[in-house]
Amino acid sequence: MSPSVTGQRIGGTRRHGRRVRRPIIEGQEMVLVIVIALLWLVMGVTTPTFVEPSSVFAIFYTVAPIALIGVAMTPIMCAAGIDVSVGSSLAVVMVVVSKLIRDFDVNAPIAIAVALLVGSALGAINATLIAFGRVPAMVCTFGTLNVFRYIALQVFGETQVAGVPGTLSFLGGSISRARFLGLPNAMWLAIVLTATVWVYMRHWATGRHIYAIGNDADAARLAGVKVRRRIFMLYVFCGAMVGVAAVVSVGSGGLIQQNVGIGMEMSVIAACVIGGTSVIGGRGTVLGTLLGAVLVGSVQAAVIHLHLPTEITQLFVGIIILIAVGVDLLRQARRATS
């Protein structure tokens, strides 16, 4: 690949032959940090229970699955794709893993391995249809959303899976060994994953290819980027992270209901968009997505602590999404005219 093409397309890291060093925390990410801090400050003053250790643990335990899937969704959206089937995929993996633990008494390593394999397999179905079948991502994943939900219901075979033991409680649940420095181990896993993917997308050539695909897939292909292979791997990776999120969600044990995962895709996409990922591709960071997930989880917790109707959460998140999308579109229009 020529330096000129690299400078123009691959992640915007070069301009006119000179490397432009981007700040670790960008503008929208800093705004999210401030908004989250203000929300926590206001809730801590008005509703002290919001900042109690048990409440903080519960908030971040809720955030962890959203962040884990969101970190995998971000590169997909940066490549101008999307996956709205993640909620149904999550349901399939959760019911398979929970039944294996309850009915066959499998240990944690086997349960995690199965979750990764099942999640990756579901992701590979989307990947094959989108990358090689040329099916539009929205159409494909909307179809598999319904197919995977049907599969989950068939595996359930009943209204719920009850009596799931806490085999995976070291990642989920409320016991002391499931936390470190006050945060759930699952949240630390999400943080480590975010850091890893951040380095990959920012500093590896193949990671910067993702932005090139989102900006112009045809130009990226002409520049030597293996577009289909990259897209295939992105969806498989997303499926694997759905498997990890399922392990976290099953961790608390107890009861797994049929409606599990419904609406998860909206929470994940909201976290990505709020975090600054462009809805038309070519721009986004996993750090922003992590912060977006924290904001979504914090809003949900605030609504509960203030004893407001749960529908208010959707209203607040919807407003934040509209603002984020509006800012992104204005940014794109400004770039087009500059």
Side-chain angles (χ1 to χ4, degrees):
M1 185 181 298
S2 66
S4 61
V5 173
T6 304
Q8 293 174 6
R9 288 293 177 187
I10 307 302
T13 57
R14 290 182 183 269
R15 291 181 183 176
H16 307 296
R18 297 183 62 185
R19 180 174 294 276
V20 178
R21 291 190 177 276
R22 293 175 297 176
I24 294 178
I25 298 181
E26 299 182 2
Q28 187 155 335
E29 295 163 356
M30 182 58 69
V31 171
L32 282 174
V33 171
I34 295 172
V35 170
I36 293 169
L38 288 175
L39 174 61
W40 278 64
L41 178 62
V42 171
M43 289 301 300
V45 172
T46 60
T47 312
T49 55
F50 185 84
V51 293
E52 290 181 353
S54 58
S55 296
V56 172
F57 181 92
I59 291 171
F60 283 104
Y61 179 61
T62 302
V63 166
I66 299 174
L68 286 166
I69 302 176
V71 166
M73 181 76 78
T74 300
I76 288 178
M77 293 182 66
C78 287
I82 199 166
D83 186 352
V84 298
S85 69
V86 291
S88 296
S89 300
L90 183 73
V92 173
V93 181
M94 285 186 65
V95 67
V96 169
V97 171
S98 60
K99 282 201 167 187
L100 283 176
I101 293 175
R102 186 194 67 177
D103 299 340
F104 299 94
D105 195 28
V106 301
N107 57 30
I110 293 178
I112 294 172
V114 170
L116 289 172
L117 288 173
V118 174
S120 298
L122 297 177
I125 294 174
N126 286 331
T128 301
L129 292 173
I130 295 169
F132 299 105
R134 303 291 184 89
V135 181
M138 177 63 77
V139 175
C140 174
T141 57
F142 185 76
T144 53
L145 176 152
N146 293 280
V147 172
F148 295 163
R149 178 61 60 176
Y150 176 80
I151 293 173
L153 294 177
Q154 296 308 303
V155 178
F156 264 100
E158 50 190 318
T159 57
Q160 60 191 21
V161 180
V164 180
T167 304
L168 301 169
S169 58
F170 63 94
L171 283 176
S174 59
I175 61 174
S176 58
R177 70 189 182 102
R179 68 183 71 196
F180 177 70
L181 297 179
L183 294 181
N185 291 340
M187 191 62 198
W188 287 111
L189 179 61
I191 292 171
V192 171
L193 178 67
T194 299
T196 302
V197 178
W198 181 86
V199 170
Y200 172 74
M201 293 182 68
R202 188 182 179 98
H203 296 291
W204 287 49
T206 53
R208 296 195 297 274
H209 289 173
I210 295 169
Y211 295 104
I213 294 170
N215 283 320
D216 191 330
D218 291 331
R221 186 178 295 107
L222 291 174
V225 177
K226 295 178 174 59
V227 174
R228 293 186 185 182
R229 182 184 300 179
R230 297 282 181 269
I231 293 176
F232 183 89
M233 294 308 300
L234 290 180
Y235 282 93
V236 173
F237 175 65
C238 186
M241 292 306 100
V242 168
V244 176
V247 169
V248 170
S249 300
V250 174
S252 56
L255 183 68
I256 309 296
Q257 298 183 341
Q258 283 187 342
N259 63 353
V260 65
I262 293 179
M264 173 61 80
E265 61 279 351
M266 291 298 101
S267 296
V268 170
I269 295 172
C272 295
V273 173
I274 292 171
T277 301
S278 175
V279 293
I280 59 177
R283 184 178 184 279
T285 68
V286 289
L287 177 56
T289 297
L290 178 65
L291 293 171
V294 172
L295 180 58
V296 170
S298 299
V299 169
Q300 292 174 343
V303 168
I304 294 174
H305 279 78
L306 293 174
H307 305 289
L308 298 175
T310 55
E311 295 80 5
I312 297 296
T313 300
Q314 299 175 348
L315 173 63
F316 288 154
V317 173
I319 291 173
I320 297 172
I321 290 174
L322 289 175
I323 294 173
V325 172
V327 170
D328 178 58
L329 293 177
L330 287 174
R331 184 186 295 113
Q332 295 290 343
R334 182 178 301 176
R335 288 180 177 178
T337 57
S338 61

